[in-house]
Amino acid sequence: MIKVAFYDTKEYDKPSFEKYGKLHDIDFRFLETKLNEDTASLASGCEVVCVFVNDTVNKDVIDKLYENGVKLIALRSAGYNNVDVHSAFGKIHVVHVPAYSPYAVAEHAMALLLTSVRRIHKAYNRTREFNFSLNGLTGFDLHGKTAGVIGTGKIGRIFIDICKGFGMKVIAYDPYPQKESDIVYVSLDELFKSSDVISLHCPLTDNTHHMVDSSAIEKMKKGVVIINTSRGGLIDAEALLEGIKERKVGAACLDVYEEESDIFFEDRSGHILNDDLLSRLISMPNVLVTSHQAFLTEEALNNIAETTVNNIVSYYNKDGLCDNELCYKCGNIEHCKSDRKERCF
Ligand code: NAI
């Protein structure tokens, strides 16, 4: 039986993981706590740890897990910015779920955009109190507007198709453009200058950290709508707040926030929120915040569990590749994945 310490468990995780775990004789130790330096020892007796986006998997944690005999870190997310893949190299294999439902995230981005530009969130609250006034609810048509999509991977491309379905013009920026596609690529500066709506669909890396900062916002159109369903660290939230206060940014739709790890996914109602910046953003009438929810569909949860379990099983199949391994060997963690013939080390 394979024993797996499953950190940051939520009720909605259990059914699908139990279902796929049973098929492969995997015993999940469901832990509510997040993984960090203090909780790494809870994995003792398990060769595998399963983590999510707000678990801390830095060098210290990796060293502790390694000392405790952990051999595999199975991320149940696509993004892996919280894992020090470099420090794991040679010690612990790291696998992730590259795609579970890119539709879930792209559709959530559009849901946020529509809610924001048609003021649905305000209308919903009003009519619940039998306030049927339309004052202040004027929106704008998406048809004919320009969407700027940053990152044209799995999610970005679906978002592009959705935007095209609404009759939007789409421009995009990606340092690795899709070959043989009809996507219109422009420079990042051109995208900032020309877009009515900007949606972020690239990973958080050293290069993309705070790619939306005050100088980027300065280049943008007045009234621009910024959507972030990717990672909070892509946006300098202080600069975003300034942009909103100066009426430069028309609206922000945020499913992620740089300092979300101790806040999102938990019920904080009834508590005083110790994050003035987030409180101020949420208090703005033109800011919509969801709590890293874009992935949360039935289809995605099922696919996450199935792929994670298959990744774990592939690790124990010693002859084969380790499915969906994130490998630091050549320094190009993901882009050599398709050519890889053997596991990372
Ligand atoms: P993907 O790997 O298919 O695509 C990412 C794209 O970003 C690639 O085309 C890559 O070339 C591009 N890219 C890399 N560096 C860039 C840069 N400096 N500027 C612009 N583009 C750059 O990833 P996928 O599946 O489309 O996911 C995108 C991101 O969405 C993930 O990195 C993750 O952070 C986030 N995500 C958020 C979820 C949520 O629940 N809110 C759920 C799943 C993913």
Side-chain angles (χ1 to χ4, degrees):
M1 177 166 282
I2 304 168
K3 289 197 172 152
V4 179
F6 193 104
Y7 283 90
D8 201 11
T9 310
K10 298 286 179 285
E11 277 311 308
Y12 50 74
D13 291 317
K14 285 186 187 168
S16 48
F17 274 92
E18 277 167 347
K19 178 176 117 187
Y20 287 104
K22 265 190 205 134
L23 296 178
H24 295 280
D25 213 16
I26 295 180
D27 178 22
F28 286 107
R29 181 185 296 170
F30 290 113
L31 304 164
E32 283 183 19
T33 182
K34 291 189 180 65
L35 175 61
N36 56 41
E37 285 87 343
D38 299 328
T39 61
S41 60
L42 297 175
S44 77
C46 297
E47 285 189 339
V48 184
V49 296
C50 185
V51 300
F52 198 47
V53 292
N54 289 324
D55 289 299
T56 305
V57 199
N58 59 21
K59 183 181 182 312
D60 287 350
V61 171
I62 287 167
D63 288 345
K64 284 202 172 133
L65 293 174
Y66 184 60
E67 281 163 26
N68 275 324
V70 170
K71 296 191 162 55
L72 179 70
I73 295 167
L75 276 143
R76 45 186 199 277
S77 61
Y80 49 85
N81 52 284
N82 54 328
V83 181
D84 184 345
V85 183
H86 183 196
S87 295
F89 177 61
K91 293 179 179 161
I92 304 183
H93 293 267
V94 183
V95 291
H96 75 146
V97 182
Y100 37 88
S101 174
Y103 301 99
V105 183
E107 288 172 14
H108 191 78
M110 183 46 93
L112 287 173
L113 176 60
L114 284 172
T115 304
S116 168
V117 301
R118 301 310 305 269
R119 324 284 189 244
I120 304 293
H121 52 309
K122 290 176 186 294
Y124 175 77
N125 283 332
R126 279 190 193 181
T127 54
R128 283 171 67 83
E129 295 192 348
F130 308 120
N131 173 356
F132 300 104
S133 154
L134 296 183
N135 289 336
L137 298 187
T138 309
F140 64 82
D141 291 6
L142 290 180
H143 187 271
K145 298 292 186 306
T146 300
V149 177
I150 301 180
T152 55
K154 292 173 286 297
I155 297 169
R157 290 203 303 278
I158 294 165
F159 187 72
I160 288 174
D161 288 345
I162 294 173
C163 289
K164 286 184 177 167
F166 276 82
M168 300 183 81
K169 293 176 207 147
V170 180
I171 54 176
Y173 169 74
D174 193 314
Y176 305 94
Q178 289 295 314
K179 290 174 192 132
E180 293 169 27
S181 80
D182 58 358
I183 297 171
V184 178
Y185 286 100
V186 296
S187 69
L188 194 54
D189 269 7
E190 179 61 36
L191 185 145
F192 287 148
K193 263 193 273 168
S194 310
S195 303
D196 301 294
V197 171
I198 295 176
S199 196
L200 302 173
H201 298 290
C202 59
L204 176 62
T205 63
D206 292 344
N207 287 335
T208 60
H209 182 253
H210 286 188
M211 73 192 308
V212 174
D213 59 7
S214 51
S215 79
I217 291 171
E218 210 169 290
K219 292 172 194 151
M220 293 177 191
K221 278 188 174 179
K222 187 171 162 54
V224 63
V225 180
I226 300 174
I227 309 164
N228 189 5
T229 55
S230 221
R231 284 293 180 268
L234 296 175
I235 295 183
D236 175 350
E238 297 262 9
L240 178 66
L241 181 62
E242 275 316 303
I244 288 163
K245 282 167 37 186
E246 287 163 6
R247 281 46 172 189
K248 179 77 190 268
V249 175
C253 305
L254 309 175
D255 185 51
V256 285
Y257 172 64
E258 189 164 16
E259 302 300 327
E260 70 180 45
S261 63
D262 290 330
I263 301 171
F264 279 17
F265 299 112
E266 308 296 337
D267 181 358
R268 304 272 172 215
S269 57
H271 295 256
I272 290 165
L273 193 62
N274 284 330
D275 187 318
D276 291 351
L277 184 53
L278 182 60
S279 307
R280 191 83 175 95
L281 282 168
I282 288 174
S283 74
M284 291 289 168
N286 50 354
V287 176
L288 274 183
V289 174
T290 51
S291 177
H292 208 135
Q293 181 192 333
F295 74 99
L296 195 62
T297 65
E298 291 288 344
E299 291 81 356
L301 289 176
N302 200 53
N303 292 340
I304 288 170
E306 186 178 24
T307 304
T308 305
V309 164
N310 287 341
N311 287 345
I312 295 170
V313 170
S314 83
Y315 169 79
Y316 282 93
N317 169 12
K318 298 280 184 205
D319 299 330
L321 269 171
C322 203
D323 286 355
N324 297 312
E325 182 163 22
L326 297 169
C327 179
Y328 193 79
K329 198 175 200 166
C330 63
N332 193 356
I333 294 172
E334 268 205 273
H335 283 94
C336 64
K337 221 163 46 180
S338 49
D339 308 327
R340 224 176 271 157
K341 303 274 183 298
E342 54 190 18
R343 60 183 60 191
C344 187
F345 54 89

